[in-house]
Amino acid sequence: MSKIKPSKGAPYARILGVGGYRPTRVVPNEVILETIDSSDEWIRSRSGIQTRHWANDEETVAAMSIEASGKAIADAGISAEQIGGVIVSTVSHFKQTPAVATEIADKLGTDKAAAFDISAGCAGFGYGLTLAKGMIVEGSAEYVLVIGVERLSDLTDLEDRATAFLFGDGAGAVVVGPSPEPAIGPTVWGSEGDKSETIKQTVAWNEYDSSTDKFPAITQEGQAVFRWAVFEMAKVAQQALDAAGISPDDLDVFIPHQANERIIDSMVKTLKLPEHVTVARDVRTTGNTSAASIPLAMERLLATGEAKSGDTALVIGFGAGLVYAATVVTLP
């Protein structure tokens, strides 16, 4: 018989607070059109994107994360010292080590919180949320900060007509803490590595030659990604609803990864979401911010009153890998 004592975590976990940070510079489609042969109408019809935010030199991955996290901590009504874990999902922190989460944890004033980065692309927020839930239920932390943050403008080829208009920068954060009732459903997640070439970095860092190569950027096979997202991710979203024991009629809010408005519209149609369900469309003014897109969209819906505390929301992220994660949550 094991001599290990059982953990004394909370029975359940929930999102207690949310915060976001968007860089001060707003970039309209007209700026993108300076380097690609396209039109504002084409960009809007293909993606729904009208503007995006690009970070300046001071708006680093860490700086944006700290701003968003401070708002989330205040929204949760706790202090930074109570944070026991900091999970950062990003693909645009260029130092292999140390993890940027450790810098964020220190500058926020946590009491030596566990801190680590994860790389799960546009599904990263869902991965982090699931890990945070496990930490709280297991008892290794009472409150966990989950951050999705990107500076994708650093990884954008402004001459690539297929991707130049897509990406934006920003940070979104949530505080996850104990709950007396279920408020974060089971996660349906996975990967399809056989499709990893459909979204990738153009040149590996150890192969990059500044004298001959363009700076590494994100590229994708647009049609293949679109088909996969529309047909396969709707199935994953339905599985998450089933795992939570609810139907589309029970939903109040749908917050998919803000990749492309055409993908969002197709998922809404395939899932047969009722008209009363509020659908996040932050992509229009924020662009695709990868791991940051879901918490940023969540914050905006709550701030504008389009969603309210206690609403039941389906969240799903999907992207490079190809990886995905979907769950049902109660909004803070």
Side-chain angles (χ1 to χ4, degrees):
M1 175 178 278
S2 173
K3 297 180 181 179
I4 300 172
K5 294 180 180 180
S7 58
K8 296 182 179 180
Y12 305 104
R14 69 178 299 129
I15 299 173
L16 298 173
V18 61
Y21 180 82
R22 292 172 173 80
T24 55
R25 183 187 177 192
V26 177
V27 180
N29 289 338
E30 286 73 19
V31 171
I32 307 299
L33 297 175
E34 294 173 2
T35 52
I36 61 171
D37 180 16
S38 187
S39 68
D40 178 61
E41 190 279 330
W42 188 90
I43 293 173
R44 292 187 188 219
S45 65
R46 291 281 177 168
S47 67
I49 298 172
Q50 303 167 21
T51 62
R52 73 283 294 144
H53 295 253
W54 284 354
N56 60 33
D57 290 345
E58 287 73 39
E59 292 166 324
T60 64
V61 165
M64 292 191 294
S65 297
I66 290 166
E67 289 290 333
S69 299
K71 295 175 184 177
I73 291 168
D75 191 43
I78 65 169
S79 65
E81 291 85 353
Q82 293 175 272
I83 298 289
V86 177
I87 303 171
V88 178
S89 178
T90 185
V91 298
S92 47
H93 174 59
F94 291 159
K95 286 185 180 179
Q96 195 73 35
T97 193
V100 71
T102 59
E103 176 186 349
I104 294 166
D106 175 63
K107 289 185 176 178
L108 284 173
T110 69
D111 184 16
K112 300 179 181 179
F116 57 96
D117 298 351
I118 58 175
S119 177
C122 305
F125 176 74
Y127 275 53
L129 186 65
T130 303
L131 294 173
K133 173 186 173 183
M135 292 167 70
I136 289 157
V137 172
E138 185 270 339
S140 60
E142 185 176 11
Y143 299 100
V144 178
L145 185 64
V146 180
I147 304 165
V149 57
E150 302 292 3
R151 272 183 55 123
L152 294 180
S153 58
D154 292 334
L155 290 168
T156 299
D157 180 355
L158 292 178
E159 296 179 348
D160 180 0
R161 189 172 184 271
T163 61
F165 60 90
L166 286 175
F167 302 121
D169 304 335
V174 299
V175 172
V176 183
S179 173
E181 60 185 11
I184 301 175
T187 300
V188 177
W189 56 354
S191 64
E192 298 186 34
D194 60 315
K195 300 180 180 66
S196 61
E197 290 295 300
T198 57
I199 306 175
K200 63 181 181 180
Q201 184 172 308
T202 51
V203 183
W205 293 114
N206 64 330
E207 298 172 354
Y208 170 60
D209 183 344
S210 61
S211 65
T212 58
D213 297 327
K214 278 187 174 182
F215 192 78
I218 297 172
T219 186
Q220 67 176 28
E221 298 174 18
Q223 287 302 315
V225 173
F226 182 87
R227 288 193 298 270
W228 175 77
V230 168
F231 296 109
E232 298 303 321
M233 291 305 96
K235 296 176 186 177
V236 171
Q238 184 60 57
Q239 290 169 15
L241 291 174
D242 295 341
I246 67 173
S247 72
D249 289 337
D250 298 316
L251 277 180
D252 300 303
V253 184
F254 179 43
I255 312 177
H257 165 48
Q258 301 293 291
N260 180 308
E261 193 165 30
R262 291 172 64 208
I263 292 174
I264 294 171
D265 289 339
S266 295
M267 293 182 71
V268 168
K269 183 177 180 180
T270 302
L271 288 167
K272 298 179 180 178
L273 295 185
E275 289 188 7
H276 76 261
V277 176
T278 297
V279 180
R281 299 184 185 278
D282 195 43
V283 66
R284 293 173 177 171
T285 56
T286 307
N288 179 344
T289 56
S290 190
S293 78
I294 290 175
L296 279 173
M298 183 183 296
E299 185 220 26
R300 174 160 282 173
L301 289 175
L302 290 166
T304 60
E306 296 173 82
K308 62 183 185 300
S309 175
D311 278 353
T312 299
L314 169 64
V315 300
I316 179 169
F318 45 86
L322 294 169
V323 295
Y324 55 88
T327 189
V328 176
V329 303
T330 301
L331 294 182

